[in-house]
Amino acid sequence: MSFEYSTFDEAIRSERPVVLPETPDLNRTGSALIWLSGVHVYSFGVILHVAALTEQSDYGLALNDYDMADRWSDEIAPIRFGIEFSDGTAIALDRAAPAGTVFEVRRSSGNPGSLCATVFLRPIPPPGPVRIITAIPKLGVSEAEASIDGQQIVSASESVERLWTTTPRTSRGLGGAGLRGGTWFSRWD
C-alpha cells in the first residue's frame, strides 16, 4: 500500500509510521558504537535513526553524505554508511544513488564524540536481509556489518496508517484552541 504525495514533507505529516522493534548495533569496538536507535517504516520509504558515540572527543562525527564526501574539515570524523538489499542493490551515502533510489541524510546533529541523525531510504527494500555496513576510517573503526529483516519492513509498510488525504479541506475552526473552559491547558491561561 503506497500512497501518492506531492512532497516529502506532505508524506511525512500524512502517515503514522510503523516503528520496528529491532534496533541493532551496527558497529561496536572498544572505543566506538554505531547503532540504529529507531526504524520508522512509511508506505513510501524508511527513516533510519542512526546514533553514534566514540571515546575520542577530539572529533565531531558526521554521516559521510554524497554532497560532502571528501570535503570534511580536519575536526570531523565522517561515518561511512551503506546498505545492500537482498537483490544485490548496493547504495552508500557517499555515492550517488542509483536511478529510482533515494538514500540521504535528512537531519543530523551532535557534539564531539556523538551523533544523532536520520537517513531516508526509498524504495521499501525487498524481502530478505538488508545489510547495513558502517565504518569510521579516521578513528580506526573498521567496516562492520549488521542486518535487519527486509520482510519485516515490507509487512510494516503495508500496515502504515494514513492519517488524512491531501485534498484541500475546509477549516474546522479552532478545535477548542484559545477557548476558555475546563480544559487541562486552560489552567495556565
Side-chain angles (χ1 to χ4, degrees):
M1 161 189 14
S2 184
F3 303 109
E4 292 298 319
Y5 301 104
S6 59
T7 66
F8 177 79
D9 290 334
E10 176 186 3
I12 290 293
R13 72 172 182 268
S14 296
E15 294 185 4
R16 179 181 182 178
V18 174
V19 179
L20 296 186
E22 67 179 289
T23 54
D25 288 353
L26 302 176
N27 198 328
R28 180 187 279 267
T29 69
S31 62
L33 173 63
I34 306 168
W35 75 98
L36 286 179
S37 60
V39 179
H40 293 198
V41 180
Y42 294 83
S43 70
F44 54 88
V46 180
I47 292 186
L48 303 168
H49 295 268
V50 180
L53 297 172
T54 64
E55 184 177 37
Q56 175 61 265
S57 63
D58 293 339
Y59 296 98
L61 299 174
L63 285 172
N64 198 12
D65 65 4
Y66 181 65
D67 293 335
M68 288 296 295
D70 302 321
R71 295 188 297 164
W72 293 106
S73 72
D74 290 340
E75 295 83 30
I76 300 295
I79 299 171
R80 302 205 63 198
F81 193 89
I83 289 183
E84 186 172 339
F85 297 156
S86 61
D87 67 3
T89 301
I91 51 180
L93 286 176
D94 60 351
R95 307 264 190 289
T101 303
V102 178
F103 190 51
E104 63 187 15
V105 177
R106 295 298 297 185
R107 290 190 189 109
S108 182
S109 64
N111 295 307
S114 69
L115 170 82
C116 291
T118 57
V119 176
F120 177 60
L121 170 64
R122 179 180 182 158
I124 298 292
V130 177
R131 296 175 54 219
I132 303 172
I133 298 89
T134 58
I136 314 174
K138 192 174 211 171
L139 300 182
V141 177
S142 301
E143 278 187 15
E145 177 185 319
S147 67
I148 56 178
D149 184 2
Q151 181 57 54
Q152 190 176 23
I153 294 171
V154 170
S155 297
S157 74
E158 294 169 350
S159 62
V160 167
E161 178 184 5
R162 185 173 191 177
L163 300 173
W164 34 76
T165 62
T166 58
T167 56
R169 296 183 288 186
T170 58
S171 172
R172 294 185 180 146
L174 295 176
L179 302 178
R180 300 279 180 204
T183 68
W184 184 81
F185 289 104
S186 68
R187 64 180 162 190
W188 289 290
D189 292 339

